[in-house]
Amino acid sequence: MYDYISYLFAVGLWELMDGISIYSIQYLGWVSAVIAALLALTTIVFSQHNERVIQKSNDLARDISLELNQDKNEVDKNRVIIQINYLVTLLSNVKAYKITLIMFIIISYSLAVCWLFGGIAYSLDAKTVFDSVLVVFSSFILIILLVILPLLMFSFNKSKPLNIDKHMKLDQLVNFLNNEDYWKGNSIVSDLLQPVVKVSLTSSNLIRINLRQHIPISGYTVTFRFVTKNEDILLLHLRPEPNEVSTYITKSETESKMYRNFTTLFRNIKKLNLKESKVYVVSETEKLVFSIMKAKESTNQLEFKLGSYHNQPIILPVKELLLQEKSILKFNSTEEHLYFELNNK
């Protein structure tokens, strides 16, 4: 049965190649010439652009390293933040170059297959043995070039300081900067990333939460453990995105004795025991604990930022929230235990 199927396949393939005319091969040659010209132009332009991007990013990486090699009190943190943001922007644009290379390899391999069949058909229609040898040899050279050139293109411009396709993650930032005694994960987060959470009460009595960071990265969670003066505990668990996103707290349980509206909840957040409150920044490699400081306070708005670093383990309630795939606020007191969902609007 297998031999019969193989025979039918071979006969069908022979008939296909025998049916290829000189007319179609000539058209293939014209199309290949146009495609080759466009591919060459596009690849050259993007390669030159990518080379400049990588050169500029390497220069920035060197400048950042030189800046951080100074005494920590002399480091211009704002300058470093601006440089890192520019570096992230540059490396994010490399994605267009990768897409161009993928297009290049798909088209090149497709042409290689077309010329494989075309070369065989042309050799079968040759008048002399020399014509057949010449057609087969030239087709072989063309196919080898179409296969090898995309692989060579992928080997160019690989010496970028960070492998960023779209967004930088916290662990990438830490690995990039973690080359000095002072610039460890905790100092990078507190001095450079500087996450700030803003809690505000809207005119419609909804609570809006904004998490702002000085470097647009993702790949971590930040959990604020607010301890109120009456010893209630609120765990605000957020998954940051590169761009600042507003989230609103909505009640998942409709029945609540203490929080029939969010005005009471907001007032309770304002009455914090800052000595007991903590913030936890967790990624795959970093597990950091900080104290909480109030950055701003007004009638309907609060801002909290990171305080001093504490070498403490992650507590169990925070570990449980790390399993959540979404942002959430958990409330615990002697009277009630509630979950508030956070929805983007």
Side-chain angles (χ1 to χ4, degrees):
M1 183 65 179
Y2 177 77
D3 293 338
Y4 180 69
I5 294 176
S6 300
Y7 171 75
L8 290 179
F9 177 77
V11 170
L13 185 61
W14 175 262
E15 291 178 351
L16 175 65
M17 290 186 296
D18 189 51
I20 299 176
S21 66
I22 302 300
Y23 173 78
S24 61
I25 297 175
Q26 288 176 342
Y27 182 76
L28 175 62
W30 302 334
V31 172
S32 298
V34 176
I35 292 175
L38 291 176
L39 276 181
L41 179 62
T42 304
T43 306
I44 289 172
V45 170
F46 275 90
S47 296
Q48 291 295 321
H49 171 72
N50 190 66
E51 183 180 358
R52 290 195 297 271
V53 167
I54 291 181
Q55 181 61 47
K56 182 63 177 178
S57 62
N58 283 320
D59 291 342
L60 274 172
R62 184 177 62 252
D63 292 342
I64 292 170
S65 179
L66 290 174
E67 183 74 31
L68 296 181
N69 280 330
Q70 301 181 73
D71 183 87
K72 64 180 182 181
N73 295 321
E74 297 179 1
V75 172
D76 187 345
K77 297 175 185 176
N78 290 331
R79 173 181 167 82
V80 173
I81 290 171
I82 293 173
Q83 288 176 322
I84 294 175
N85 287 335
Y86 188 28
L87 178 64
V88 172
T89 302
L90 283 175
L91 293 179
S92 298
N93 292 330
V94 176
K95 186 177 180 181
Y97 178 67
K98 287 188 175 182
I99 295 174
T100 304
L101 289 183
I102 292 173
M103 180 186 69
F104 185 89
I105 193 170
I106 291 174
I107 295 177
S108 294
Y109 282 11
S110 299
L111 282 177
V113 173
C114 291
W115 275 111
L116 174 63
F117 287 103
I120 294 175
Y122 225 116
S123 65
L124 293 175
D125 197 51
K127 304 302 182 182
T128 66
V129 176
F130 179 79
D131 288 340
S132 296
V133 172
L134 185 62
V135 169
V136 170
F137 185 68
S138 58
S139 298
F140 176 75
I141 293 176
L142 177 60
I143 291 170
I144 291 297
L145 287 175
L146 289 172
V147 172
I148 292 180
L149 280 179
L151 300 179
L152 292 176
M153 292 298 299
F154 268 105
S155 65
F156 294 154
N157 298 330
K158 280 193 171 182
S159 59
K160 56 183 180 179
L162 277 168
N163 187 22
I164 300 176
D165 288 332
K166 189 174 183 181
H167 302 302
M168 179 187 282
K169 294 185 177 181
L170 177 60
D171 293 339
Q172 290 177 309
L173 179 64
V174 172
N175 290 334
F176 174 59
L177 300 178
N178 192 4
N179 57 355
E180 300 297 326
D181 292 336
Y182 172 66
W183 296 103
K184 300 299 182 183
N186 59 300
S187 55
I188 291 170
V189 170
S190 60
D191 295 338
L192 299 180
L193 185 59
Q194 300 180 26
V196 175
V197 65
K198 180 170 68 175
V199 182
S200 55
L201 187 66
T202 67
S203 57
S204 56
N205 287 330
L206 289 177
I207 290 183
R208 182 174 61 198
I209 295 174
N210 294 78
L211 182 64
R212 185 175 69 252
Q213 48 190 357
H214 284 68
I215 300 174
I217 64 175
S218 59
Y220 73 102
T221 62
V222 55
T223 306
F224 289 82
R225 182 178 183 268
F226 296 126
V227 181
T228 65
K229 292 184 178 180
N230 57 357
E231 298 184 350
D232 292 337
I233 296 175
L234 295 97
L235 292 173
L236 177 60
H237 181 68
L238 302 171
R239 291 184 174 274
E241 295 296 331
N243 299 319
E244 182 180 353
V245 177
S246 296
T247 60
Y248 291 81
I249 299 178
T250 56
K251 239 180 327 191
S252 56
E253 289 89 354
T254 55
E255 296 297 328
S256 173
K257 298 177 183 177
M258 297 182 65
Y259 297 124
R260 298 188 183 279
N261 58 65
F262 292 121
T263 304
T264 308
L265 177 60
F266 182 78
R267 289 173 181 171
N268 206 0
I269 294 176
K270 293 182 71 172
K271 300 174 182 178
L272 289 184
N273 183 347
L274 290 178
K275 291 183 179 179
E276 298 295 328
S277 299
K278 295 287 188 295
V279 58
Y280 301 83
V281 178
V282 181
S283 66
E284 290 185 2
T285 61
E286 301 295 325
K287 294 176 174 52
L288 310 171
V289 184
F290 300 88
S291 60
I292 297 178
M293 297 176 59
K294 279 186 180 180
K296 292 182 181 178
E297 180 177 355
S298 63
T299 304
N300 294 323
Q301 183 175 302
L302 294 166
E303 284 192 16
F304 300 96
K305 62 181 182 179
L306 304 187
S308 57
Y309 170 69
H310 297 270
N311 188 13
Q312 297 176 353
I314 305 298
I315 61 175
L316 183 59
V318 175
K319 289 182 179 179
E320 293 175 349
L321 288 179
L322 292 176
L323 302 176
Q324 298 285 340
E325 294 296 328
K326 57 185 178 181
S327 298
I328 199 167
L329 185 139
K330 181 181 179 182
F331 169 76
N332 288 328
S333 74
T334 55
E335 298 183 32
E336 288 189 316
H337 305 278
L338 299 173
Y339 279 91
F340 298 92
E341 297 179 356
L342 274 64
N343 298 323
N344 295 342
K345 289 191 178 181

